[in-house]
Amino acid sequence: MKNLKIIVTRKWPKVVEQKLQEIFDTTLNEDDIPLTEDQLFEAMQNYDAMLPTVTDNINDRILSCSNRKVNFIGNFGVGYNNIDVDSAKKNNIIVTNTPEVLTDCTADIAMLLMLGIARRAYEGEIHVRQNEWVGWRPTHMMGTKVTKKVLGLVGMGRIAQAMARKSHFGFDMKILFYDPYFKNEKISKDLNATACRTLDDLLSQSDFVSLHCPSTTETRGIINNNTLSKMKKTAYLINTARGDIVNQIDLINALENKIIKGAGLDVYEKEPNVPNSLKNLKNVFLLPHLGSATEETREAMGFRVLNNLELYSNNKPPLDRVV
Ligand code: DGY
């Protein structure tokens, strides 16, 4: 007899879905159509555990529903700003996330964006595919050198540290960071990373600014007209964290008016909508939230959720409990 009735809100890698089905009484979402708010609400009343992902908005109405059965929410994702954690706490619902397993792949995408925008990879690709390339010439499609430049990390969690490692040891970059909560001097020393006292300090000295903080009331909109104007005119902004850390209208304005040189973005304010005014710009390199999107990582994320759920179902503390 399977002890827990669970619902998975989106399609997951097959191997993980099969394992979930072996262990639990599992409802999958084979069609991968996002559940509506009402369907999520109903699911809270019909299952013991819910496994949502970063696109499901698990709000207070859903978490506070009457006759609730769900006591465990295992989010498929390291970020959990899609869940109202204060409400989960108030309602005594356990919430877990999937840290560590996606660190390298997300940092790799940040590297890809940094290199891609600096070296004009997208423009070059289009050029070749559209048969516009007429041959090598000394002034053709010149970009910006990355090696030995200054990388400023906003947030110094695992993904930022991985990016610092790759950039410092791979590209000989000088690493700065701004993170008022990060105090690990050993890590800073190992990565040769220097703490900035203020965000403005970091912005004014960096050639590349890469965002790695969670989306919270403190960080939402911290990149805006005011902070963008503190960046070098030659600098680039990279965002693999969350879209709403950046005021998107202000960023478009800064890119259009050459306040900064360019941006590499994997995340957006209102995904999957990307405004035409952003898509029409040449000085952006845009990806569709691919940070953790490798087969290895997405499977590892699924198994990480499964592991937390198994611990919970055996009355043990889940490893990645955030509430
Ligand atoms: C996360 O895990 O938070 C990402 O944004 C999805 O990989």
Side-chain angles (χ1 to χ4, degrees), residues 293-305:
T294 61
E295 286 176 22
E296 295 89 335
T297 295
R298 289 286 163 84
E299 285 177 10
M301 289 167 77
F303 283 118
R304 191 88 182 200
V305 180

Side-chain angles (χ1 to χ4, degrees), residues 102-161:
L102 47 67
T103 299
D104 267 311
C105 281
T106 308
D108 290 350
I109 282 282
M111 298 296 294
L112 172 68
L113 289 172
M114 177 167 71
L115 289 163
I117 186 62
R119 300 304 307 274
R120 304 177 62 177
Y122 169 74
E123 285 177 82
E125 247 268 318
I126 296 281
H127 211 59
V128 174
R129 285 181 196 271
Q130 294 186 346
N131 297 320
E132 285 166 0
W133 186 35
V134 292
W136 193 94
R137 52 204 193 276
T139 54
H140 180 223
M141 217 171 262
M142 295 183 292
T144 300
K145 183 173 175 176
V146 173
T147 297
K148 289 194 192 304
K149 292 285 174 67
V150 179
L151 170 64
L153 300 161
V154 180
M156 195 50 170
R158 295 182 197 87
I159 298 169
Q161 289 167 35

Side-chain angles (χ1 to χ4, degrees), residues 4 6-9 12-13 16-17 19-20 23-24 49-54 72-79 94-99 101-102 297-313 318-321:
L4 284 188
I6 69 162
I7 180 161
V8 184
T9 66
W12 282 19
V16 194
E17 289 190 339
K19 196 76 193 164
L20 282 169
I23 308 174
F24 303 105
M50 182 191 278
L51 310 185
T53 189
V54 296
F72 175 95
I73 295 183
N75 205 39
F76 187 103
V78 68
I94 293 174
V95 178
T96 63
N97 70 342
T98 60
V101 289
L102 47 67
T297 295
R298 289 286 163 84
E299 285 177 10
M301 289 167 77
F303 283 118
R304 191 88 182 200
V305 180
L306 188 145
N307 183 37
N308 284 314
L309 182 58
E310 269 194 301
L311 288 166
Y312 166 76
S313 74
L319 197 63
D320 306 309
R321 184 168 178 174

